[in-house]
Amino acid sequence: MFAINRGGIEGFYSATVLAQLGKTYGCRLCDHFEMICGISTGGLIALGLSLGKLASDLVTLYKKVAGASKKSLTACALAPI
């Protein structure tokens, strides 16, 4: 069993470490673990890995979502009330 525990944007760190492991060893985690699970964002990472996604793809997704969220949050903060 492989467990991933991180919440929110901190999952980016977990995904980055997993992407580096995949790059270093040239493998997908789903090929080496019978069960991959997680809590919060770690659960989303676990779901992607269980479906055979590469961790590097999840890092790219985090960058897109975090960038969009940051822009949205900035726009909301600057909007007049």
Side-chain angles (χ1 to χ4, degrees):
M1 180 165 89
F2 184 71
I4 307 164
N5 299 321
R6 290 301 233 180
I9 197 64
E10 291 177 2
F12 177 74
Y13 173 77
S14 298
T16 302
V17 170
L18 296 173
Q20 187 60 43
L21 285 172
K23 182 179 176 182
T24 300
Y25 295 105
C27 64
R28 296 181 313 164
L29 287 173
C30 67
D31 295 334
H32 298 281
F33 292 94
E34 291 183 22
M35 179 185 281
I36 303 174
C37 58
I39 297 172
S40 188
T41 303
L44 297 175
I45 295 170
L47 180 61
L49 295 174
S50 297
L51 293 171
K53 300 289 183 189
L54 296 174
S56 58
D57 293 338
L58 300 175
V59 169
T60 301
L61 180 62
Y62 264 103
K63 288 179 181 178
K64 287 180 184 177
V65 170
S69 296
K70 186 176 180 181
K71 290 175 187 172
S72 298
L73 290 172
T74 302
C76 289
L78 295 175
I81 296 176

